[in-house]
Amino acid sequence: DTGVSQNPRHKITKRGQNVTFRCDPISEHNRLYWYRQTLGQGPEFLTYFQNEAQLEKSRLLSDRFSAERPKGSFSTLEIQRTEQGDSAMYLCASSLTQGNYNEQFFGPGTRLTVL
Amino acid sequence: AQTVTQSQPEMSVQEAETVTLSCTYDTSESDYYLFWYKQPPSRQMILVIRQEAYKQQNATENRFSVNFQKAAKSFSLKISDSQLGDAAMYFCAWRYGGSQGNLIFGKGTKLSVKP
């Protein structure tokens, strides 16, 4: 296991289309996070899972966004009816839950461009 | 709400010299962590160094060290003996000290290293 992986790495879509991204965390990590990073900004938290349960969602996660982690392993992030403002890098991170300090390991991200 | 501010959008340093990146934060929490992450161009984000708020001693990792001033809510990163591979975006981040919690990032500082 070489770390967190994300697919696809790049996605170009037309406004109004649906897109889905996948994140595979480090195998023993039970916590998984999604962040969005727009140009010139730091990553912003979207949501996170502990095992298959989605425990927190940011107000940034509009109704067009849905995230799942059905078996507590990989996760998908779907954006419906994409808008140009959705263009960003979508980052996934995973961590353990042992103790208070749980380093988050990041994937390479999926860069979304909405035309 | 917690905020993280990085006031230097870009910094430049000569190879082998020392550079300091600034970060300030605002929180009413007493238990939290602070981090510096490095994001090289087109590569994934990695943790450089972390600091527990309850520790007075400044964290050090090889050429990287922090100056943590809790009362001033300041958390700067010093990179000594800068190397070409240090060129990257550097993000300061805050996280609540409990077992759960997403990261709150600053906007980042782009560091260039001149040979």
Side-chain angles (χ1 to χ4, degrees):
Chain A
D1 193 324
T2 56
V4 179
S5 62
Q6 292 187 246
N7 288 288
R9 294 291 306 276
H10 302 272
K11 178 71 176 179
I12 299 174
T13 190
K14 293 181 179 179
R15 188 177 53 187
Q17 298 294 306
N18 299 344
V19 295
T20 300
F21 311 140
R22 176 176 170 133
C23 170
D24 287 87
I26 294 172
S27 58
E28 64 269 26
H29 286 184
N30 56 354
R31 195 167 286 167
L32 187 149
Y33 300 80
W34 285 99
Y35 293 86
R36 181 174 70 185
Q37 184 178 17
T38 53
L39 202 60
Q41 302 292 322
E44 296 173 293
F45 169 71
L46 292 178
T47 187
Y48 91 92
F49 292 83
Q50 182 155 317
N51 300 314
E52 65 276 8
Q54 188 173 17
L55 295 187
E56 189 173 345
K57 293 193 289 187
S58 160
R59 57 181 172 77
L60 293 176
L61 209 68
S62 76
D63 292 345
R64 298 184 297 106
F65 288 70
S66 62
E68 294 183 341
R69 196 183 182 196
K71 297 183 180 180
S73 56
F74 73 91
S75 175
T76 58
L77 177 68
E78 180 183 16
I79 309 174
Q80 295 182 328
R81 305 180 304 281
T82 53
E83 301 173 356
Q84 288 187 326
D86 297 331
S87 295
M89 177 76 86
Y90 289 84
L91 298 172
C92 175
S94 69
S95 74
L96 293 166
T97 55
Q98 297 168 355
N100 284 333
Y101 172 65
N102 307 301
E103 180 181 344
Q104 293 184 26
F105 293 83
F106 282 82
T110 294
R111 182 169 295 282
L112 173 66
T113 302
V114 181
L115 302 176
Chain B
Q2 283 64 231
T3 59
V4 177
T5 302
Q6 294 179 249
S7 59
Q8 305 155 316
E10 297 187 23
M11 291 284 285
S12 180
V13 63
Q14 204 73 30
E15 195 175 6
E17 297 295 308
T18 295
V19 64
T20 298
L21 307 184
S22 301
C23 173
T24 58
Y25 61 95
D26 191 21
T27 183
S28 58
E29 301 288 345
S30 59
D31 182 18
Y32 54 89
Y33 294 95
L34 293 163
F35 306 86
W36 279 98
Y37 278 87
K38 172 185 178 182
Q39 188 177 40
S42 302
R43 295 180 61 186
Q44 58 208 81
M45 196 170 309
I46 58 173
L47 179 65
V48 174
I49 197 166
R50 78 171 191 270
Q51 174 79 42
E52 291 90 336
Y54 63 86
K55 289 187 177 179
Q56 293 185 341
Q57 186 173 7
N58 290 324
T60 299
E61 288 287 343
N62 300 314
R63 299 183 295 106
F64 300 87
S65 61
V66 298
N67 184 3
F68 174 46
Q69 301 290 327
K70 191 171 183 178
K73 295 181 180 175
S74 171
F75 183 61
S76 60
L77 174 69
K78 186 172 80 171
I79 305 174
S80 303
D81 185 25
S82 297
Q83 300 175 0
L84 294 177
D86 294 334
M89 285 292 294
Y90 285 83
F91 293 96
C92 178
W94 177 100
R95 204 204 86 188
Y96 175 60
S99 60
Q100 300 180 10
N102 54 283
L103 295 162
I104 296 173
F105 288 88
K107 291 186 176 182
T109 296
K110 182 178 181 179
L111 178 66
S112 301
V113 181
K114 298 179 179 178

